[in-house]
Each structure stands twice: as structure tokens, then as C-alpha cells.
Amino acid sequence: MRTHPEGRTLLEPLDLLLAERRISVIGANGSGKSTLLRLINGLLLPTEGTVAVHGNDTRTMGRTVRRSVGFVFTDPLSQLVMPTGREDVELSLRTLRLSSGDRRSRAGEVLRRFGIDHLADRSSYDLSGGERQILALAVVLATEPRILVADEPTTLLDLRNDARVRSLIAGLDQQVVFTTHNLDFALESDRTLVLDAGRIVFDGPADDAVAHYRQLCSCAPLGGP
Amino acid sequence: MQPARTTVTGTAGTGRRSTRRRWDATDLSLVAVFAALIAALAILPGIPVGPLGVPITLQTLGVLLAGLVLGPARGTAAVLLYLVAGLIGLPVFSGFSGGFGVLAGPTAGYLLAFPLAALVAGLLTLGVLRRTHKFRVVLLFLAALTASLLTIHPLGITGLMINAGLPLRDAILVDVVYLPGDVVKDVLAALLAVSVHRAFPRLLAAKPPLRA
Amino acid sequence: MRGFGATLGLYEPGRGFLYRTAPAPKAVASLACAVAVIAWRSPTTTAVALLLTFGVLIVGARLSPVRVLRMLLPAAPVLGILALYQGLAQDWLRAFVVVGGITACLLAARALTLTTATQDLLDGVVRLVRPFRRLGADPERFALALSIMLRSIPYLAGLFVDVRQAARARGLERNPRVVVTPLVLGAVAYAHRTGEALAARGLGEGDLDEDPPDDRTGP
């Protein structure tokens, strides 16, 4: 196996076809979850082999892939770049080459759809963590990507906001691939991958995967099966 | 809905950096954030230094850092972006001023010298970092000092003469007051730049080929 | 440093004809003010420029004269010293010409940013850069860089405040290296995070029309 100039292999060789509507990825910190997600939209390119989304290779069609794959990060503040939410959504819409009038009305629609139109003109610094993450989702979904990739979207949120973001994600039409440390959230998916030290150690239905993961970190609940 | 198909095959390493000459999103973001850093340093109250606690403002520190940390191209771009933001009216210059008005003000010469300072500092830095690993702090200090003596002070004096109507002798006297503070800032800039390059070694290093 | 955007002198919603004027004429007028003041250093020019900028702000943005004066507060120390120097070293008419001219230019610039939404200002800049496309300029990326810059100032200012407090807690606030190093390292790290988030959104990679000829081909 060839190694990178920096000599670190982040993900062992793997062969995956991701077609389910809701796919979760669980595993310890540093197990390669984020690397796997970043491969899907071409933020990282594989040192060997190929990654293709709808038949488009991330290496040669990177921009096309990124347009059809939305990516949400753990910390919404590193994702939101404009002073207010409305402007951030309009920035996303720029990639669709709309006129500025169309951008404005589309941005309004998007914010209404996510129930945050009352926050449209507030500074993203003044929003709560949950509001920020919902805004980050709105910003990414404004261009209607066909797939949403979310890297621990609820890790920084309190319980109520965690529930809000999860129900929002559950209601999306898009295919969603997400990582999480919240095993309840993982159970809401159709298929779960368990990663350990850069290797996929389990791939299957969510409940079996969660059981496997609990065993893996020997944190199975007392009195469990 | 058509089931989406994503296939992932193979090994993944950190194959991020390309040898592409065009700036990627990270370069763009570095330029923008350094322009913001210069603005933040210019706006924020100065830091009291030494036993007397004389405050030094850090605007020129930001300018020199852009060159020392980002190199000539991105460094100059960051300073130009900062200037453009100030000139179109955002109050990012010292004392919350901004707008084309500053071109009529006494500090116009200093402002217009900033991109040149970043360019000179950046070029010298590239030369230092690519050639030697020794005495980096001293060499980068000399790079910063050279840049500020060659650009900021002469153009600043010219600006004082034209816009504030000072005779050459008075303009030099006004300018010299800032010299000791500048030397302190040059030392600081060199120390900071060496820390940054140690923490982010790929910022200015010759980009490695993707494959070994 | 919440709400830093407001003190940064950006857009504040309001009424008046300045709000209904397109950004371009306002920018041209602001630039014309600077050119006039630098080109003709005469008491008349300065007086006219001052009257015009004050008048336009009071009528066109419906501000009270006190609010207009308050906008000058941050620049007051520098203007005061300059006026004093000019008055004592040369004469007071000269002081009025120089300092009054600068004041008019500051107000003219403020009139533009006060009454133009940030997004419109950026759209305007994009239009302005568009003719230079042939020389390799990329207006969209330029506007994006400008907005990331604006977005980063409050973040860095907040970081600076935190870092200074941490330094004070350790009794090291007089050591500028301790105060500034975390700020600069934090800025570089923040730039990397933002760059990645931009790439993920498909922004900031140059022309949006096509995939670039890619030299990252595999074996």
C-alpha cells in the first residue's frame, strides 16, 4: 500500500456503495469519520482509488460534485461567512447565477421554509447555537443539493436544539450521510457504518451497528444482552 | 426519489494540496482573514509596553505579518484588500476612520506604503525560509525592518509633506518619533511569524508533490 | 464583541432620499468630495464640501445634527491635533482648509456605508471590478474576500479580548508576544476552517462555469 508523503494513512482501503436514504457513521474521535465524509464531496481526494457521486469522479468533476453534495460542519460559525443570515443564503444562491432580485426572493423563501425568517437580519453572532446550526443547514440546502453530508451536526447543541436539528434533518427529501456521537441519532438511520482506526469494522442496520459499537468501546449498558 | 449513489473506493490520505497555481478557497480565506487581522489590530486599543506602559498601535504589525506569514503574493493581496475596504468607506483604519477622505489626510503616505511593505517583507521572507533553518528570527526581523525603512517611512514622510503641508525637516522629525516603536514591532513580527510557520509549516513551504 | 458590526459603521436601516439612491452615484459623490478637497485646497471648497455633506446627511438620511457630529467622535483626537498643529505652525485658515476637508470626506464616506446595505455595496464593488475581468480580475471572488474580511473582524476582535484577559489572568499583559501570538495563530487556524467551509459550499474556487483543467489526476 502506498503512503502519503506525510506518511499518515487516514483511511484503510475500502469499497463502499452508499445508496440508502439515511446513513450514519459512528466511531471514536480520530477514527476516520470526518475523512470519510470529506471524501464524499471532494474536500479530500483519495491518494488511491476513486470516489464518485452519481457517476461524477470527485477528482475530475470536483465542482459538479460539490454542487450536488451539501456539507454541514460541527461548528456553524466557521461555515457562516456573511454578517447576516439573509446575506449568507444569498451568497449560496450566487452559485446558481440568479439575478440579485431573484436571489433576494429565493433567500426569503428558504428562510421561511426553515422557520427562521424572523432571524434573517440578525448577526449570526447574536443567534443561539441551535439557531446558528439551522441557519447553516438552510444556507447549505438553499441550492438544493441532492445529498447532504453533515459532520457531527448536533455535537455542540443542547438537548432541545439537538432535537430541533434532528427533526429537521429527518424531514429532508435529500439523501443524508452524517456522523455523530449521539447513538440515539445514529439509530434514526437506515444503515450505519462503524469506524475504528481508519477501518470499517461494521456495516449494517443501525441497531446492530450501535450494539457492535457499544461492545467495541466496552461500554455496553449493564444488564444488557 | 431516485436513490443516490455514492461510491467510495480506495485509500485516503491527506491528498489536499494540489500543485494548481490558482488560489484555492483556503488562500482566498487567508487573504481575507489577514486583511481583517490588520483591521482588528488597527482599530483595537494599543498594548502598553515596557515599564512606562507606552501604548503601541499594531496596524503596521499586521501589515508586516501579512508579508512575513503569507509571502509576497497573498500578503500584498491581503493589504490591498484592507486598503480597498477602508477606501470604500468601512472604518478600518486607525481611529475608526475610512473612506476616500483618508487620501486627503496626513497619514495617506503611510497607508499607500503598506502594500509595498508587505511585498518587500514577503519577498525577503521567501528567500529566508527557502534557504535556511538557522537564525530565522533575526533574519525575519531584518526583513521586516528593511521593508519598513524602504517603504513605510519614506512614503509616510512624503505624505506628511504633501497633505499636512510640513516642510521636509518637520516631516522627518514627526516620522522619527515612530521609529523606536517600529523596531519593537519588527521584532514582534519576526517572533510571531516564526511561531506561525512552526505551527503551520505548509503555509509558505514549497508545495510538496502530491505523490511520493 | 457582539454587535461589533454596528460600531463598524455599516448599514443602519432608515428613511430619506439617500436610502433610495443607488450605490454608484453615492460612491461617485463620495470620491468626488475627496478629489475636490485634495485638488483645490481653498477655504471655499472646504466650506462648500462641509455644508453639502452635513446637509445631505441631515436631509437625506434624516439624522439629527447631533448624530452627525457624533459620527465624527472616533476621528476627533487626530483631527484635533492636526488642527492645532496647522493653526499654531501656519495659520488658522489653513487649519480649517485641511481639517475641514478631511472631515467632509469622512462624512461623505460614512453617508455611503450608512445608507447602503452591505450586500448592495458588495454588488456595487463587483460591478465596478467587472470591466477588469479581462486583466484577470475575478469580481465574485473579490466580493467574497471582502465579505469574509468583514465577517472575520468581530471574530478576531473577540479573540483578542479573550486572549488579553487570559494574559492578564497570568499577569503577563505587558508582554505583547503573549498577547498577540494566540491571536495570530487563531487567525490562521480560523482562515483554514473558513477556507474548508467555502470549498464545501463550492465558493471561492474561481469561475463557476466549468471544472478547471485539473492536474490532480491519479495514476
Side-chain angles (χ1 to χ4, degrees), chain A residues 2 38 41 43 45 59-64 66-67 69 71 73 77-83 87-88 90-92 94-95 97 100 103-104 124-126 132 139, chain C residues 2-3 118-120 122-123 126 140 144 147-148 151 154-155 190 193-194 196-203 205-212 214 216-219:
Chain A
R2 234 191 288 213
R38 280 163 174 71
N41 86 334
L43 273 178
L45 295 173
R59 195 185 296 280
T60 52
M61 304 287 286
R63 193 158 300 150
T64 313
R66 275 194 280 284
R67 239 176 293 165
V69 182
F71 200 109
F73 293 82
L77 268 190
S78 62
Q79 178 140 31
L80 301 170
V81 292
M82 299 296 280
E87 292 172 82
D88 225 307
E90 284 181 23
L91 176 68
S92 289
R94 269 174 192 275
T95 53
R97 300 197 164 260
S100 79
R103 278 206 306 268
R104 197 144 300 181
S124 34
Y125 278 97
D126 290 337
R132 272 184 207 152
V139 157
Chain C
R2 284 174 172 225
T118 316
Q119 191 66 44
D120 292 340
L122 296 182
D123 279 342
V126 169
E140 293 287 338
L144 182 61
S147 43
I148 295 172
R151 169 69 177 58
Y155 174 83
Y190 177 74
R193 284 205 303 278
T194 304
E196 186 179 43
L198 286 179
R201 283 169 77 177
L203 294 164
E205 301 180 359
D207 239 5
L208 300 162
D209 289 326
E210 68 222 324
D211 270 281
D214 218 324
R216 294 183 282 192
T217 39

Side-chain angles (χ1 to χ4, degrees), chain C:
Chain C
M1 279 251 158
R2 284 174 172 225
F4 201 73
T7 51
L8 204 67
L10 296 178
Y11 176 69
E12 284 171 35
R15 287 176 307 140
F17 74 82
L18 270 180
Y19 285 92
R20 294 189 295 273
T21 313
K26 285 187 282 193
V28 169
S30 168
L31 184 60
C33 174
V35 171
V37 166
I38 297 176
W40 297 284
R41 289 182 185 277
S42 78
T44 335
T45 321
T46 298
V48 170
L50 268 177
L51 278 176
L52 268 179
T53 45
F54 261 93
V56 162
L57 271 169
I58 290 167
V59 178
R62 306 206 183 161
L63 297 178
S64 68
V66 178
R67 274 221 47 202
V68 178
L69 286 176
R70 216 167 30 205
M71 294 195 310
L72 289 170
L73 222 51
V78 176
L79 293 177
I81 291 171
L82 191 62
L84 212 61
Y85 171 83
Q86 296 282 356
L88 296 175
Q90 313 208 0
D91 63 285
W92 293 101
L93 191 64
R94 169 86 191 174
F96 168 73
V97 170
V98 171
V99 177
I102 296 170
T103 309
C105 290
L106 288 180
L107 287 178
R110 192 70 183 83
L112 171 67
T113 45
L114 182 78
T115 61
T116 312
T118 316
Q119 191 66 44
D120 292 340
L121 203 63
L122 296 182
D123 279 342
V125 174
V126 169
R127 266 198 298 279
L128 203 66
V129 181
R130 206 161 279 157
F132 298 100
R133 204 169 231 170
R134 248 172 242 174
L135 304 174
D138 185 336
E140 293 287 338
R141 273 158 62 96
F142 177 69
L144 182 61
L146 209 49
S147 43
I148 295 172
M149 173 191 171
L150 294 183
R151 169 69 177 58
S152 308
I153 293 174
Y155 174 83
L156 294 175
L159 188 60
F160 188 70
V161 171
D162 288 351
V163 163
R164 272 183 98 158
Q165 275 168 0
R168 192 168 305 137
R170 294 167 66 188
L172 293 169
E173 73 270 26
R174 286 275 164 102
N175 183 340
R177 194 183 170 191
V178 171
V179 178
V180 188
T181 305
L183 175 70
V184 176
L185 288 177
V188 177
Y190 177 74
H192 279 111
R193 284 205 303 278
T194 304
E196 186 179 43
L198 286 179
R201 283 169 77 177
L203 294 164
E205 301 180 359
D207 239 5
L208 300 162
D209 289 326
E210 68 222 324
D211 270 281
D214 218 324
D215 52 7
R216 294 183 282 192
T217 39

Side-chain angles (χ1 to χ4, degrees), chain A residues 26-43:
Chain A
I26 56 179
N29 293 327
S31 58
K33 298 190 301 293
S34 296
T35 308
L36 180 64
L37 292 198
R38 280 163 174 71
L39 284 170
I40 296 177
N41 86 334
L43 273 178

